[in-house]
Amino acid sequence: MPDRRVVVFLSHADPGALRLAGSCALAAAAMGDRVDVYLFGQAVPAVVAAHDAEPDEPGALLHQARGAGACRLVACSASVVEEKVPLDAAEQALDAVVGWPTVIEWSRGVVDRFFF
């Protein structure tokens, strides 16, 4: 089976966007795809806060997808700073905090991209 990849870009923190991104990531991971979810802006603190939240929290599906093993949650370093997310909290809740060059390199060539 070829290495199938899905990229999700999440920059909104409203419940609908968080649930849609989480559902997309969880479905792709369940199908055996490698999933990278890139978090920007207000999505960063929302997803970090959902790390140990109840399963019905809007951002919890993203952490469920991460727990499936084929999904990485990656925050933009500028968004972590701008949104005043403590770095230790981001590092605990997410797989990586990276800059734009890394986002571009890691998402290069991925055809299946979703934006929420």
Side-chain angles (χ1 to χ4, degrees):
M1 182 181 317
D3 182 33
R4 297 181 314 203
R5 294 179 60 205
V6 171
V7 169
V8 176
F9 295 98
L10 177 61
S11 60
H12 299 279
D14 61 276
L18 290 167
R19 284 191 181 98
L20 285 170
S23 294
C24 179
L26 191 56
M31 293 171 62
D33 296 350
R34 188 176 118 207
V35 183
D36 288 327
V37 179
Y38 294 99
L39 307 169
F40 303 94
Q42 295 178 347
V44 175
V47 174
V48 168
H51 179 247
D52 288 323
E54 295 296 320
D56 61 341
E57 286 293 318
L61 285 175
L62 289 163
H63 291 284
Q64 289 176 23
R66 181 181 184 224
C71 179
R72 293 189 300 184
L73 301 179
V74 181
C76 169
S77 58
S79 293
V80 170
V81 172
E82 185 174 291
E83 297 295 326
K84 296 177 177 54
V85 175
L87 188 56
D88 60 334
E91 289 175 339
Q92 182 179 8
L94 309 172
D95 296 291
V97 175
V98 301
W100 270 109
T102 303
V103 172
I104 292 168
E105 184 60 32
W106 287 0
S107 64
R108 188 179 307 268
V110 178
V111 176
D112 296 323
R113 296 170 177 244
F114 301 90
F115 302 85
F116 302 99

